[in-house]
Amino acid sequence: MQKPLEIVVTNDDGIFAPGILALASTAMKIGNVSVIAPDKNWSASGHQKALGRPLRVDPVSFPLDIPAYATDGGPSDCVALAGLGFLDKKIDLVLSGINPTSNVSRDITYSGTVTSALESTIWNMKGIAFSLDAGGIKIKEIDFSETEPMILTVVRTFLQHELPPFTILNVNLPYKVKKPNPDYVITREGSRYYRDELIRQVDPFGKPYYWFGGDPPYGDEEEGTDCGELARGNISITPLQLDLTAEQLIPSLQQWEWK
Ligand code: MN
């Protein structure tokens, strides 16, 4: 008999966020599921690692009898724990999410959802990040029920193929699917524009503090891009790699006189 697939589900929103429960329950249809996730929200924490401090990991009760552990580390720490043998078994696949907002374009290096999937490749596991384009809706009001068939299609298709090392899929799902059969579109990163403003305030003790405020970002709607296909109501699947080298710049930089 074939060994069941060993899956770890994580996220950057914290172990009690509703999206991770939706993803873990869907993943149970594919293999053995364990959850290792941060004990608080680490959204926009990027690709980070706990250095010079211990990691605490506590078992927590989780619905559906899924074995689950909360850590005081970030999302990529949760994945490193899994990859380095915390569960005493070889993990095949890391699924991260479901983030309640999209992770497209220049969000990607900020995103703990995406960077934890990238971390999986360092420890020889496969990884997929899932985000739902439900921005603007209160987290408790988000309905994750439509995500399951889309996630099952993506994961089952992914498992029938082999990606090169250090590559993952970044998957963005449309919310309240606007058309009956959304297309699965392979995309590239589009352009997203941030409209942050630095808000300066003074605390009750007279000390200044700062917020990143301003309007939410917006993305271009170009066809074939992650944000463009989401805007069309499609499922966006972007292959990402850990190697960020801008290869196309190497020849011209080699021509610069470095003195
Ligand atoms: Mn998040």
Side-chain angles (χ1 to χ4, degrees):
M1 208 178 88
Q2 211 185 348
K3 222 169 129 281
L5 200 71
E6 291 294 343
I7 303 171
V8 161
V9 174
T10 192
N11 73 351
D12 75 354
D13 303 310
I15 196 157
F16 300 112
I20 195 169
L21 174 57
L23 184 55
S25 71
T26 297
M28 286 176 78
K29 306 206 160 141
I30 296 164
N32 283 343
V33 177
S34 307
V35 166
I36 309 178
D39 60 9
K40 64 178 177 66
N41 192 334
W42 281 73
S43 292
S45 62
H47 199 171
Q48 56 77 52
K49 188 158 207 169
L51 287 179
R53 72 174 180 94
L55 277 175
R56 302 291 177 184
V57 187
D58 293 309
V60 292
S61 62
F62 198 86
L64 308 170
D65 285 331
I66 296 174
Y69 302 87
T71 85
D72 64 353
S76 35
D77 293 319
C78 297
V79 173
L81 281 164
L84 291 168
F86 170 76
L87 295 167
D88 294 320
K89 57 186 173 188
K90 163 91 180 82
I91 302 303
D92 305 299
L93 175 65
V94 172
L95 302 178
S96 178
I98 304 168
N99 200 66
T101 59
S102 63
N103 274 304
V104 291
S105 176
R106 309 186 223 284
D107 300 337
I108 283 168
T109 53
Y110 290 127
S111 165
T113 309
V114 175
T115 51
S116 57
L118 284 168
E119 177 77 14
S120 71
T121 67
I122 293 176
W123 308 110
N124 201 25
M125 303 177 284
K126 298 172 192 290
I128 310 179
F130 286 101
S131 304
L132 182 62
D133 190 24
I137 297 164
K138 285 197 187 110
I139 182 83
K140 288 206 170 120
E141 289 167 13
I142 295 176
D143 174 9
F144 287 93
S145 63
E146 286 182 352
T147 62
E148 179 158 300
M150 297 187 276
I151 290 171
L152 287 176
T153 297
V154 168
V155 177
R156 285 176 175 149
T157 306
F158 173 80
L159 291 171
Q160 284 164 19
H161 300 84
E162 195 71 41
L163 282 183
F166 308 109
T167 58
I168 63 157
L169 297 184
N170 180 35
V171 179
N172 282 279
L173 306 170
Y175 188 59
K176 291 290 166 196
V177 179
K178 298 170 190 110
K179 51 187 191 180
N181 288 305
D183 295 323
Y184 292 77
V185 183
I186 306 306
T187 53
R188 63 182 189 282
E189 288 178 39
S191 294
R192 196 157 211 234
Y193 302 97
Y194 297 108
R195 296 180 283 185
D196 293 6
E197 284 169 35
L198 189 62
I199 313 289
R200 297 160 204 260
Q201 303 279 11
V202 177
D203 74 13
F205 308 98
K207 199 171 176 209
Y209 65 94
Y210 303 88
W211 283 97
F212 297 127
D215 293 323
Y218 66 96
D220 72 39
E221 298 199 352
E222 199 187 327
E223 209 172 309
T225 64
D226 45 14
C227 28
E229 294 303 330
L230 265 189
R232 286 172 177 75
N234 289 326
I235 297 146
S236 164
I237 303 171
T238 313
L240 298 181
Q241 58 189 9
L242 199 53
D243 182 344
L244 299 178
T245 310
E247 292 271 355
Q248 75 281 11
L249 296 183
I250 289 178
S252 72
L253 265 75
Q254 284 170 335
Q255 300 308 310
W256 294 8
E257 204 174 336
W258 294 92
K259 60 172 187 185

